Amino acid sequence: GNSVTQMEGPVTLSEEAFLTINCTYTATGYPSLFWYVQYPGEGLQLLLKATKADDKGSNKGFEATYRKETTSFHLEKGSVQVSDSAVYFCAPYSGGGADGLTFGKGTHLIIQP
Amino acid sequence: NAGVTQTPKFQVLKTGQSMTLQCAQDMNHEYMSWYRQDPGMGLRLIHYSVGAGITDQGEVPNGYNVSRSTTEDFPLRLLSAAPSQTSVYFCASNGGSRSPLHFGNGTRLTVT
């Protein structure tokens, strides 16, 4: 089955710092790749996605590029804000029902003013 | 535009009690799924469905039942609650294979 490696943190940064959250995965076939974000007390929300090699997903200033050769999908943002404090999940989806989707354990990000 | 609606938001049960967590979606999604989220364990798949009348087990199905009689609803039943089922439960739906999941806001369940 699929597996995902991402650091759990907490990762603590100052406002306006550069953010990288690494994600590497193993997956069957050619998965679509997702980043989800979970704010306190809420469910997960889709942050961005990429469906094929070298695609770049972007949303709200966050970006991630589908790197097939290194099986990675690292999340970056140039200048983080306090409102970005949340838990971030990397998730490859190989296909089929929900059993084809694997979530990482989540990276807890804390942004200090 | 409700999306995925879960009820109740909070629930406290005694060991051995049964209950049903409700989940409804208004996006006409074929696929629905249930997860539990525990500290240090991430999200774990309990049961999922790829259409009305079709359900299958996920990673941690024991102690839970599901049915899918309509496209909109996917209730999760706890047959005899145990303290190990204390968790936050999320329902999700998506439009098909490889399409992004839409999550409800969760049900926080405590079993004493």
Side-chain angles (χ1 to χ4, degrees):
Chain A
N2 297 356
S3 67
V4 179
T5 301
Q6 59 175 119
M7 67 178 302
E8 292 180 41
V11 173
T12 304
L13 295 173
S14 298
E15 204 166 21
E16 299 183 2
F18 185 86
L19 169 70
T20 300
I21 300 176
N22 289 337
C23 170
T24 57
Y25 63 90
T26 61
T28 56
Y30 198 151
S32 295
L33 301 176
F34 300 93
W35 276 101
Y36 288 87
V37 59
Q38 183 179 30
Y39 300 103
E42 298 183 9
L44 281 69
Q45 305 173 21
L46 177 68
L47 180 59
L48 53 82
K49 67 176 183 179
T51 58
K52 62 183 188 297
D54 301 324
D55 267 2
K56 179 184 284 187
S58 61
N59 186 26
K60 300 182 181 180
F62 291 90
E63 294 182 337
T65 301
Y66 193 137
R67 300 291 186 200
K68 191 169 189 293
E69 64 278 10
T70 56
T71 61
S72 63
F73 194 51
H74 305 320
L75 183 68
E76 296 182 334
K77 186 174 185 181
S79 177
V80 292
Q81 306 299 313
V82 172
S83 57
D84 294 326
S85 299
V87 182
Y88 293 81
F89 294 88
C90 179
Y93 193 168
S94 291
D99 61 324
L101 172 65
T102 302
F103 287 95
K105 291 197 174 176
T107 299
H108 186 195
L109 176 65
I110 300 170
I111 307 301
Q112 296 179 331
Chain B
N1 193 8
V4 178
T5 302
Q6 290 185 239
T7 56
K9 291 189 188 321
F10 301 95
Q11 183 71 49
V12 179
L13 292 178
K14 295 186 188 306
T15 298
Q17 288 184 318
S18 63
M19 79 159 294
T20 299
L21 280 63
Q22 301 293 344
C23 176
Q25 54 96 4
D26 62 1
M27 296 172 283
N28 202 32
H29 285 166
E30 286 297 316
Y31 290 19
M32 296 186 75
S33 47
W34 276 102
Y35 294 85
R36 59 178 289 173
Q37 185 176 33
D38 302 290
M41 303 294 289
L43 283 158
R44 291 184 290 171
L45 181 64
I46 305 171
H47 285 285
Y48 65 99
S49 168
V50 296
I54 305 168
T55 63
D56 210 339
Q57 296 182 350
E59 180 186 356
V60 288
N62 292 342
Y64 308 95
N65 271 0
V66 291
S67 59
R68 183 97 182 271
S69 56
T70 67
T71 298
E72 294 78 20
D73 300 300
F74 192 42
L76 178 72
R77 297 182 186 83
L78 280 70
L79 307 173
S80 177
S84 61
Q85 294 179 305
T86 293
S87 187
V88 181
Y89 291 85
F90 289 100
C91 178
S93 73
N94 61 312
S97 178
R98 298 172 185 261
S99 62
L101 269 62
H102 298 253
F103 284 84
N105 279 333
T107 294
R108 185 175 295 275
L109 175 68
T110 302
V111 183
T112 62

